[in-house]
Amino acid sequence: MIMDALPSSKTIQQNNETFNEEDFRQIPLRTICLFGNMSISTYWTVFIFQSVQLFNSVIVNIGNDVFFFGIAMHICGQLDSLNILSDELETNNEKNRLRKIKKFVRRHIHLLEMGQLIQNTYTNILLVNLITGGSHICLAGIQFLFLSNTIDVVLLTKVGSVLIIILLQIFLYSYAGDYMSSLFQDVCKVIYNCTWYEFSPSHVRDLMFIIMRTHVPFNISAGNFYIMNIESFKNIVKTCFSFFSVLRIVFEE
């Protein structure tokens, strides 16, 4: 957007005979109408200010997504380490086994609390991202259908890039939520695959409580009602393309 707002040499040559600064003077946010006639110094001040604003906005959005994904993958890695911890339960010393079970339970509870903290922190953020992302996808799809009959490759590339970036952002959250949820459910399989039949009845009862806790599903959701997983991402993509198909039929008629 910043580079596209700069006047190209071709534009200047086309306006060289009837020179008018307003014909090719643009600013990154395309809000030139709000400023009216500006001097050159004011124009470049607004241009630089909006360029910095756009750059900061991009960094903040990307940083927020990468921060969420990094924390989610860290928790997933810690859940994988529970497999190693479960192998330590297979010991002949009853006291040592009880200590290992307590360590496993404390670690599992800690990871559940971390996951719930992410859910509580990002639930409203995810809801806003879904609403804004869905709106952008609809608007970009309408623009793409309008431009599909033209040969403006540049504009088609811009619209296509917007669609890909928004879908990639939604996929990032969906993949992280789906992977984390599946690993929390796999704790039940980890416990079942150990040699629990060699444990004492009291220790087996402790393992049963762990398995019962894993039956309570953990999910990353947007607004505490829309679960973010691969299935939800597929539904979003199918809904978008169904919307585009209906619009294409309407425009053709």
Side-chain angles (χ1 to χ4, degrees):
M1 293 178 67
I2 297 174
M3 297 301 296
D4 187 54
L6 292 172
S8 62
S9 58
K10 182 179 179 181
T11 306
I12 295 176
Q13 291 176 1
Q14 291 176 352
N15 293 274
N16 192 26
E17 295 181 358
T18 59
F19 179 77
N20 186 1
E21 292 182 355
E22 300 298 331
D23 291 339
F24 57 87
R25 177 185 292 181
Q26 293 292 337
I27 52 180
L29 295 181
R30 301 300 191 273
T31 55
I32 191 68
C33 59
L34 299 178
F35 295 94
N37 296 326
M38 293 186 297
S39 62
I40 295 178
S41 60
T42 304
Y43 166 73
W44 284 111
T45 301
V46 174
F47 189 97
I48 294 173
F49 178 79
Q50 291 192 359
S51 299
V52 174
Q53 184 181 4
L54 277 175
F55 182 77
N56 290 335
S57 178
V58 170
I59 294 299
V60 168
N61 280 280
I62 294 177
N64 181 61
D65 298 338
V66 173
F67 181 73
F68 169 83
F69 191 77
I71 294 179
M73 291 300 102
H74 172 72
I75 294 178
C76 292
Q78 295 298 315
L79 286 170
D80 283 332
S81 68
L82 284 180
N83 296 331
I84 302 175
L85 192 60
S86 64
D87 296 336
E88 299 178 359
L89 300 178
E90 301 177 5
T91 177
N92 295 325
N93 191 330
E94 291 293 328
K95 292 184 179 179
N96 190 28
R97 179 181 296 161
L98 180 61
R99 184 173 59 84
K100 296 293 184 180
I101 292 176
K102 291 181 179 179
K103 183 180 178 181
F104 185 94
V105 171
R106 286 195 299 266
R107 191 62 182 170
H108 186 217
I109 292 175
H110 176 67
L111 294 176
L112 285 171
E113 291 175 349
M114 290 180 61
Q116 190 61 43
L117 182 60
I118 292 180
Q119 161 63 17
N120 295 335
T121 303
Y122 274 86
T123 178
N124 294 327
I125 298 175
L126 290 176
L127 181 61
V128 173
N129 284 339
L130 281 181
I131 294 175
T132 56
S135 301
H136 287 151
I137 289 175
C138 294
L139 294 176
I142 294 173
Q143 188 177 5
F144 188 85
L145 291 175
F146 274 118
L147 297 173
S148 59
N149 296 326
T150 65
I151 56 175
D152 196 338
V153 180
V154 176
L155 288 178
L156 287 174
T157 303
K158 290 180 181 179
V159 175
S161 301
V162 171
L163 289 173
I164 293 174
I165 291 173
I166 295 175
L167 290 176
L168 182 62
Q169 182 189 36
I170 297 175
F171 175 78
L172 190 76
Y173 287 106
S174 300
Y175 174 79
D178 186 83
Y179 188 40
M180 192 186 305
S181 177
S182 63
L183 287 179
F184 273 116
Q185 294 177 0
D186 288 344
V187 175
C188 176
K189 299 178 182 178
V190 171
I191 296 297
Y192 182 78
N193 290 331
C194 69
T195 57
W196 54 269
Y197 42 85
E198 298 179 356
F199 296 176
S200 63
S202 61
H203 292 165
V204 173
R205 186 167 56 252
D206 295 334
L207 297 181
M208 289 178 60
F209 283 119
I210 299 175
I211 294 176
M212 290 172 60
R213 178 60 184 86
T214 59
H215 287 168
V216 179
F218 173 83
N219 295 302
I220 298 294
S221 60
N224 292 320
F225 65 90
Y226 191 82
I227 298 175
M228 300 297 296
N229 52 26
I230 299 299
E231 187 66 27
S232 299
F233 177 75
K234 291 191 294 184
N235 292 333
I236 292 174
V237 174
K238 288 190 294 185
T239 302
C240 291
F241 278 95
S242 299
F243 175 73
F244 296 157
S245 299
V246 172
L247 287 179
R248 184 177 59 84
I249 296 174
V250 171
F251 290 154
E252 288 180 354
E253 293 179 355

